[in-house]
Amino acid sequence: MRLRRLAALAVLSLAALTACGSGGGSGTSALRIMAPASPGGGWDQTSRVAGEALKSAEPSRKVEVYNVPGAGGTIGLAQLAGEKGNGNLLMTMGLVMVGAVEQNKSKVTLADTTPIAKLTEEYEIVVVPAGSPYQTLGDLVTAWKADPTKIAIAGGSAGGTDHIVAGLMAKAAGIDPKQVNYIAHSGGGEALNALLGEKVAMGISGIGEFAEHVKSGKLRALGVSSPERLGNVDAPTIKEAGLDVELANWRGFVAPGGLDDAAKKALTDLVTKMHDSPAWKDAVIKNGWTDVFQTGQPFADFLATEQTKVKAVIAEMGLVS
């Protein structure tokens, strides 16, 4: 009889623990953050920095960061959609995913998520391997115009921010964007390996992904997509090379669709607490990010506007059929 009572208590305890690990995001339940790309890229970096900042803000909360690479984040997006109502899950995303949804004709879209917060903006950087013959962006553009298909460009997912910058640069240089030899990679780590192995002529990515290797001299920065020169990067703007291109990438958090108001508020409050932590603020400065924190309906409205804008841009660039 006593054994049956103990067994029943064990079942009840297990059920209680399971309930804590799913559904609403209250208390100190474990939180999972999905980086929908390979390790080494901007989403992975943002996810892990956020994870550490959350642990700092709430030491009692367990935080797990994991990767689901592929298809510009749309594989991760599909997995997120399958977690409908889960208030203990966040996915890092951004401008890249907006383009990838269109590029990959994803059946699951950002309309199937719950917008939580816009976090940061970051400008793009154009780099070449240290041994490259191109000393300036002007040198590179001259060679690019002479034979567009010969200049292989490494960047993130097809249809993403890096790809858009390549297309905008080509158009500004008088090159047909459809001739751009763009080699998409699932994460910044893969694109970096292609550059360091001199398998491509140039690379385009967020500044934070290449900054360490630019400082070490393994890569040479030729231009940044900011309106003015940046204090943390020794490189001119793309505009200074005569190409009228300016673009900032952004990153944020979405949660699964179907969240109730309490779960949505709990996640928003938690991310706000993370954003206000010294650990997050220090990381923003260290990585050269711009703080553009936004939650609630303003972020949802921004996301809807971005989807309309990016769809038009990539269609104009010929990046989607």
Side-chain angles (χ1 to χ4, degrees):
M1 191 73 178
R2 185 169 181 271
L3 286 174
R4 283 199 296 271
R5 284 199 301 271
L6 288 173
L9 285 171
V11 170
L12 287 170
S13 297
L14 180 59
L17 285 171
T18 303
C20 288
S22 62
S26 59
T28 54
S29 302
L31 178 75
R32 300 169 71 218
I33 301 176
M34 181 202 302
S38 299
W43 286 342
D44 179 69
Q45 181 187 35
T46 301
S47 300
R48 296 187 186 281
V49 167
E52 291 305 311
L54 280 164
K55 290 176 187 176
S56 171
E58 284 199 1
S60 61
R61 185 181 296 272
K62 182 180 178 182
V63 180
E64 175 197 355
V65 177
Y66 66 105
N67 298 80
V68 180
T74 54
I75 291 177
L77 178 62
Q79 286 195 18
L80 188 82
E83 296 273 359
K84 189 173 181 178
N86 185 351
N88 291 314
L89 176 62
L90 289 169
M91 181 180 73
T92 304
M93 51 74 70
L95 182 58
V96 171
M97 185 173 288
V98 177
V101 167
E102 298 296 331
Q103 175 80 18
N104 296 305
K105 296 179 173 59
S106 175
K107 292 181 180 179
V108 179
T109 72
L110 292 167
D112 300 305
T113 71
T114 301
I116 298 298
K118 181 167 67 165
L119 298 173
T120 61
E121 281 185 348
E122 181 182 25
Y123 290 109
E124 296 277 289
I125 188 168
V126 179
V127 300
V128 294
S132 170
Y134 309 120
Q135 298 297 315
T136 68
L137 193 53
D139 294 339
L140 179 58
V141 170
T142 298
W144 197 14
K145 291 171 73 172
D147 190 349
T149 59
K150 185 179 179 181
I151 302 297
I153 306 167
S157 304
T161 315
D162 309 337
H163 199 172
I164 290 172
V165 169
L168 291 173
M169 286 175 61
K171 184 179 179 183
I175 299 168
D176 181 353
K178 294 178 182 178
Q179 288 190 294
V180 172
N181 182 9
Y182 185 82
I183 302 174
H185 296 79
S186 179
E190 293 179 9
L192 178 63
N193 289 337
L195 278 161
L196 296 179
E198 299 191 1
K199 296 177 181 178
V200 293
M202 71 168 164
I204 302 173
S205 190
I207 290 171
E209 295 182 43
F210 290 156
E212 177 185 342
H213 299 281
V214 170
K215 288 179 181 177
S216 71
K218 293 179 180 178
L219 297 176
R220 184 184 308 125
L222 299 187
V224 289
S225 65
S226 54
E228 299 176 349
R229 291 200 182 203
L230 303 173
N232 60 333
V233 182
D234 184 18
T237 65
I238 296 173
K239 282 188 172 184
E240 287 180 66
L243 303 182
D244 190 14
V245 175
E246 178 186 326
L247 187 70
N249 190 10
W250 58 266
R251 299 188 183 106
F253 280 142
V254 294
L259 293 192
D260 59 35
D261 290 342
K264 183 178 178 180
K265 183 179 185 302
L267 275 177
T268 303
D269 289 348
L270 179 61
V271 172
T272 300
K273 190 173 184 179
M274 177 213 77
H275 166 262
D276 294 340
S277 70
W280 177 258
K281 292 184 181 301
D282 289 347
V284 167
I285 295 170
K286 179 183 176 182
N287 289 292
W289 298 336
T290 301
D291 185 351
V292 289
F293 192 65
Q294 187 180 54
T295 62
Q297 193 59 44
F299 177 49
D301 292 342
F302 168 81
L303 197 52
T305 300
E306 284 292 282
Q307 290 174 81
T308 301
K309 182 174 73 175
V310 170
K311 185 175 182 178
V313 169
I314 64 176
E316 182 185 358
M317 295 293 98
L319 303 182
V320 291
S321 58

